[in-house]
Amino acid sequence: MKYGIVLFPSKEIQDAVNSYRKRYDTNYALIAPHVTIKSAFFATDEEIKPIVQELHKIAEDTQPIKLNIQKVSSFSPVNKVIYLKIEPTKQLLDLHSKLHSGILDEKPEYSFVPHITVGQNLSEDEHSDVLGSLQMRNFEHEETVDRFHLLYQLENGTWTVYDTFLLGKECN
């Protein structure tokens, strides 16, 4: 099965992002707005059990994380993804590192750039127009996230929560 690990921002941020994702993100219906901490990986039913145990330990040793949304940016010219840039704090970088070591050891495909996708798979002109328009808006916001989520992908491509891990509060 295909899994991934994410942070979900507050409903306020999700609603704001979704108002754009409806029009500009082809994955809008597949997953809620999120910060990917560990990209998709495959594990069997047997392999996921020790991974879940490790995630509980990581959560227990990790304090709640501040998400500081700074501005709208893009990965262009590498790809046409428009996103809300999140400050890469030590807490966030440490969690990312923990989720790519030990039993979860796997070199990430890309450098870690914390973000929430707003639009993707846009034409060159649309990307340019949408990015320019969004960069004129103020998206600065700070909040604290107290949990991360292990998601799995269903056959229809949608992602759903497999388990939730409270930061600094796990007791397993």
Side-chain angles (χ1 to χ4, degrees):
M1 190 168 295
K2 194 175 190 180
Y3 296 91
I5 301 173
V6 303
L7 299 173
F8 286 123
S10 65
K11 182 178 179 335
E12 174 189 355
I13 292 301
Q14 288 191 38
D15 289 348
V17 170
N18 272 335
S19 70
Y20 298 101
R21 286 183 71 223
K22 279 186 237 181
R23 292 175 292 195
Y24 306 122
D25 186 356
T26 53
N27 291 336
Y28 166 74
L30 302 178
I31 188 167
H34 63 280
V35 179
T36 301
I37 303 296
K38 183 167 182 70
S39 296
F41 63 96
F42 290 91
T44 65
D45 290 345
E46 294 78 35
E47 291 169 332
I48 201 65
K49 290 175 186 167
I51 290 172
V52 167
Q53 290 176 332
E54 182 66 18
L55 293 176
H56 280 286
K57 289 178 193 164
I58 290 169
E60 185 176 339
D61 293 338
T62 304
Q63 291 305 305
I65 295 173
K66 279 197 172 143
L67 293 184
N68 184 2
I69 298 170
Q70 300 176 316
K71 63 180 181 177
V72 174
S73 194
S74 172
F75 290 125
S76 183
V78 176
N79 60 40
K80 307 272 183 301
V81 172
I82 298 171
Y83 61 88
L84 297 182
K85 180 176 175 43
I86 296 175
E87 180 183 349
T89 61
K90 181 176 179 348
Q91 290 175 299
L92 202 49
L93 295 173
D94 286 350
L95 178 58
H96 179 264
S97 178
K98 289 175 188 177
L99 294 174
H100 289 84
S101 62
I103 194 172
L104 300 161
D105 193 18
E106 183 180 17
K107 185 172 172 23
E109 184 178 355
Y110 300 103
S111 295
F112 182 49
V113 177
H115 69 280
I116 301 170
T117 300
V118 175
Q120 58 187 325
N121 302 321
L122 303 170
S123 71
E124 185 73 42
D125 287 345
E126 192 174 29
H127 173 269
S128 197
D129 289 347
V130 172
L131 180 60
S133 171
L134 291 178
Q135 284 179 326
M136 289 189 275
R137 290 178 162 60
N138 178 11
F139 284 99
E140 290 181 22
H141 177 79
E142 186 176 297
E143 65 185 36
T144 301
V145 176
D146 66 353
R147 63 197 69 201
F148 64 83
H149 308 271
L150 175 64
L151 307 182
Y152 67 100
Q153 192 173 35
L154 301 173
E155 287 181 19
N156 67 2
T158 60
W159 289 86
T160 192
V161 174
Y162 181 89
D163 205 345
T164 297
F165 305 87
L166 297 176
L167 299 174
K169 298 178 185 169
E170 289 296 320
C171 54
N172 293 4

